[in-house]
Amino acid sequence: MATIKDVAQHAQVSVTTVSHVLNGTRHVSAAGRARVEEAIRTLGYVPSAIARSLKRNNTRTLGMLIPNSSNPYFAEIVHAVEDRAFGAGYNVILCNTNDEPHRQGSYLQVLAERRIDGLIVVSTGHDATLPTQLAGLTVPTVLVDREIAIGEQPGDMVETAHHQGGLLATRHLLSLGHRRIACIGGQEGLAPSEQRIAGWRAALAEAGASVLAGSEALLWHGHFTSQGGYEAMHALLRSPVPPTAVFVCNDLMAMGALCAAHERGLRVPEALSLVGFDDIELAAFTSPPLTTVAQPKQRIGALAVDMLMERIEGRRQAARQVMLQPELRVRASTAARQPGAATAAAIPTPTTTTNPVLS
């Protein structure tokens, strides 16, 4: 592998001159620059990013932690982050923690060793060590989607008003005449899931005590996966008095729920209305297209990068926390309640299925 000394020897200039050409730190004659550039091409010389970062005290690199790269919601956030970072002249190192606290801690150590200039974190749930780990970092950090207390002072944060999203979804179902409205949440104890469920409860309470009564029996958890939504929906539809509508706390679970309803012979939305959360790109292409609560994913990713740039460039010192508002996207998976429609209790469960259901 060619070195900077090889380039200097080939171009018949000093190492210092090669460095000035590479870094633009001092004027070099046109003839000298041409010889250096020709030597670089001929020798295939690649400057050391580590050495250049030591001189400049930055690496033009951001780190990003996400809990599940297979979830399209996180993939769309990453896409927005990469677009914004690339436009600002930065690269992104992406680490998928797979919802494992130990892996999350290991990746934080790796990113710190890579001397990243800033970090974006969508945290893995139930990791009590994360606040201490983040507090020990010396680079600017922005949290996305999930709140974490880092030290004594609030940190930078971008999130959606999850409680408001739960309200929007449930109020929409109530406006269509539904009164027995179930909810499929994500992991228990995970802040976005708990806040969406709280929005569901608040909307039911607004509708009156008779609607709220017995609602806890209609709450299931699906771990934010399609399989989890599938299993939770089967469990709900085995209820002696099944719901006529379901608020599902993310779109992946809603897709699993749609599959379960189809297996039970239920037409959506004629016999059962469904609302998801996130508005991932696939939500518009389910059958029927999914009504869902849209998170402003492009803005979330762009804001996270912009907030890091403010810190990196010294344009801001005080913590900044941004709460973005969700919007309801009404598609074909919700409709007015039909009193005469068949219920799940009247339809036998298929004797064979390829997926397990909750017991």
Side-chain angles (χ1 to χ4, degrees):
M1 182 179 293
T3 67
I4 192 171
K5 290 182 180 179
D6 296 329
V7 173
Q9 184 176 0
H10 190 280
Q12 296 182 336
V13 298
S14 68
V15 170
T16 302
T17 298
V18 176
S19 177
H20 288 318
V21 171
L22 291 171
N23 299 306
T25 48
R26 199 175 71 187
H27 174 72
V28 177
S29 69
R33 177 178 293 276
R35 291 201 305 274
V36 170
E37 291 173 346
E38 188 276 332
I40 289 172
R41 289 192 298 269
T42 300
L43 299 175
Y45 172 69
V46 178
S48 168
I50 295 176
R52 296 175 74 180
S53 71
L54 289 172
K55 287 185 177 181
R56 297 178 179 178
N57 200 31
N58 67 62
T59 61
R60 309 293 291 181
T61 302
L62 306 179
M64 185 171 185
L65 291 176
I66 60 171
N68 188 344
S69 60
S70 65
N71 186 330
Y73 166 72
F74 295 124
E76 292 177 30
I77 293 288
V78 169
H79 188 270
V81 166
E82 288 182 325
D83 273 356
R84 195 67 154 209
F86 185 80
Y90 281 75
N91 299 310
V92 177
I93 298 176
L94 179 64
C95 297
N96 170 38
T97 65
N98 201 33
D99 277 316
E100 298 175 11
H102 174 71
R103 184 177 297 193
Q104 181 171 256
S106 295
Y107 279 143
L108 280 172
Q109 181 65 34
V110 169
L111 291 173
E113 291 172 355
R114 291 292 183 93
R115 300 184 71 251
I116 56 173
D117 298 330
L119 177 65
I120 297 172
V121 177
V122 186
S123 70
T124 293
H126 309 298
D127 184 0
T129 66
L130 182 59
T132 301
Q133 291 175 320
L134 293 178
L137 296 178
T138 59
V139 299
T141 301
V142 175
L143 303 176
V144 171
D145 196 54
R146 303 175 181 184
E147 299 175 13
I148 305 169
I150 305 175
E152 298 180 358
Q153 301 298 323
D156 289 347
M157 175 81 187
V158 183
E159 65 176 325
T160 302
H162 300 291
H163 184 278
Q164 178 64 20
L167 279 171
L168 288 174
T170 312
R171 285 171 177 169
H172 171 64
L173 294 170
L174 288 165
S175 74
L176 295 173
H178 297 280
R179 291 298 178 266
R180 190 164 174 80
I181 302 171
C183 179
I184 299 177
Q187 293 98 314
E188 291 187 74
L190 192 62
S193 176
E194 296 298 333
Q195 291 164 10
R196 294 171 197 180
I197 292 169
W200 165 73
R201 289 194 183 102
L204 295 182
E206 290 176 353
S210 61
V211 176
L212 183 62
S215 60
E216 291 305 308
L218 295 176
L219 172 62
W220 288 80
H221 293 273
H223 304 289
F224 282 147
T225 65
S226 298
Q227 180 70 27
Y230 171 89
E231 295 175 354
M233 179 60 84
H234 267 300
L236 282 169
L237 296 181
R238 289 200 302 270
S239 170
V241 185
T244 64
V246 185
F247 165 45
V248 190
C249 286
N250 85 337
D251 289 345
L252 275 184
M253 292 193 299
M255 292 175 185
L258 276 170
C259 179
H262 175 73
E263 288 185 357
R264 294 294 297 269
L266 289 176
R267 291 180 61 86
V268 175
E270 292 85 355
L272 182 72
S273 286
L274 284 177
V275 180
F277 201 110
D278 288 338
D279 193 29
I280 61 176
E281 185 177 348
L282 292 173
F285 299 95
T286 58
S287 182
L290 184 66
T291 295
T292 186
V293 176
Q295 296 204 62
K297 297 178 290 298
Q298 292 293 324
R299 193 175 175 206
I300 289 171
L303 265 174
V305 175
D306 289 349
M307 290 165 70
L308 277 185
M309 293 299 103
E310 291 172 355
R311 292 280 200 176
I312 292 169
E313 296 169 5
R315 291 183 282 120
R316 177 174 57 85
Q317 298 297 323
R320 183 183 177 196
Q321 297 182 312
V322 180
M323 180 76 74
L324 301 176
Q325 294 301 310
E327 297 180 1
L328 184 69
R329 298 274 191 268
V330 178
R331 298 192 180 104
S333 68
T334 53
R337 178 177 178 270
Q338 302 297 321
T343 64
I347 302 173
T349 304
T351 56
T352 60
T353 178
T354 59
N355 294 307
V357 296
L358 296 179
S359 57

